[in-house]
Amino acid sequence: GAVVSQHPSRVICKSGTSVKIECRSLDFQATTMFWYRQFPKKSLMLMATSNEGSKATYEQGVEKDKFLINHASLTLSTLTVTSAHPEDSSFYICSATPGQNEKLFFGSGTQLSVL
Amino acid sequence: DAKTTQPPSMDCAEGRAANLPCNHSTISGNEYVYWYRQIHSQGPQYIIHGLKNNETNEMASLIITEDRKSSTLILPHATLRDTAVYYCIVQAGGYQKVTFGTGTKLQVIP
């Protein structure tokens, strides 16, 4: 079945550094991908919709300069957390769908810890 | 905002059927009901979806009321591996964004 690969699964970084998270659709093309963040014992919160070849659409309250999204190809979207701070520590999850009226496939998530 | 309401938690004995309810009273005619689950520290996993008819697959059954304002996910023989948070979502066709509610934490008890 369709698979979405997310990398890295875990990253620890120092405050002030930037971290890039990759999300790949392995066996289908995804013109749209979604990025979520999740705090412990909380639900997934949609951060942005990533559109291939165009700018991402961010949800209200999500800083676009803080969370840079690039969707340069039909199989890859990246989320860069710029100048990370401890409050950015969270579980980040991407998802993609093969087409309209199709279910979402999710990556395995990235646990970001900022020291 | 999430368009669904689910109980925050449920327990189920191993081997018994787990029935997880979901209310989606504002569902539109073109919106499907999807169910996903998330096992601790993993990405969510698709379970099943439907529009108006009841559906069954190898994982579960989905019962949608005739007015489509609520649905029930049925895991026929729950196992310990079914312990997870279950999310009910209404989703229109196309590439519209999907938002998650709080879900139901299902605990399967030995």
Side-chain angles (χ1 to χ4, degrees), chain A residues 24-90:
Chain A
R24 295 181 183 271
S25 55
L26 295 186
D27 54 1
F28 65 93
Q29 294 183 334
T31 57
T32 301
M33 291 185 177
F34 302 96
W35 286 96
Y36 297 84
R37 70 185 297 183
Q38 185 176 32
F39 293 106
K41 299 185 186 297
K42 299 294 184 182
S43 184
L44 285 76
M45 183 186 76
L46 181 66
M47 299 175 65
T49 302
S50 170
N51 302 298
E52 187 269 335
S54 64
K55 292 182 179 180
T57 303
Y58 290 83
E59 295 299 301
Q60 189 173 7
V62 178
E63 299 176 61
K64 59 183 65 176
D65 294 330
K66 173 73 164 176
F67 300 100
L68 299 180
I69 292 173
N70 183 278
H71 195 155
S73 79
L74 287 172
T75 60
L76 174 64
S77 175
T78 61
L79 168 68
T80 301
V81 183
T82 63
S83 186
H85 291 286
E87 58 265 29
D88 298 322
S89 298
S90 186

Side-chain angles (χ1 to χ4, degrees), chain A residues 31-32 34 36 38 42-44 46 49 59 91 93 97-104 106-109, chain B residues 32 34 36 38 41-46 49 87 91-102 105:
Chain A
T31 57
T32 301
F34 302 96
Y36 297 84
Q38 185 176 32
K42 299 294 184 182
S43 184
L44 285 76
L46 181 66
T49 302
E59 295 299 301
F91 191 55
I93 307 170
T97 178
Q100 299 191 34
N101 300 321
E102 294 277 353
K103 60 194 175 190
L104 288 175
F106 290 84
S108 55
Chain B
Y32 290 75
Y34 279 79
Y36 296 87
Q38 185 179 27
S41 297
Q42 297 182 24
Q45 172 193 26
Y46 166 82
H49 76 283
Y87 295 99
Q91 178 181 345
Y95 294 107
Q96 294 189 27
K97 61 185 181 183
V98 174
T99 55
F100 284 73
T102 53
K105 183 174 182 179

Side-chain angles (χ1 to χ4, degrees), chain B residues 2 43 75 82 87:
Chain B
L75 307 178
D82 293 322
Y87 295 99

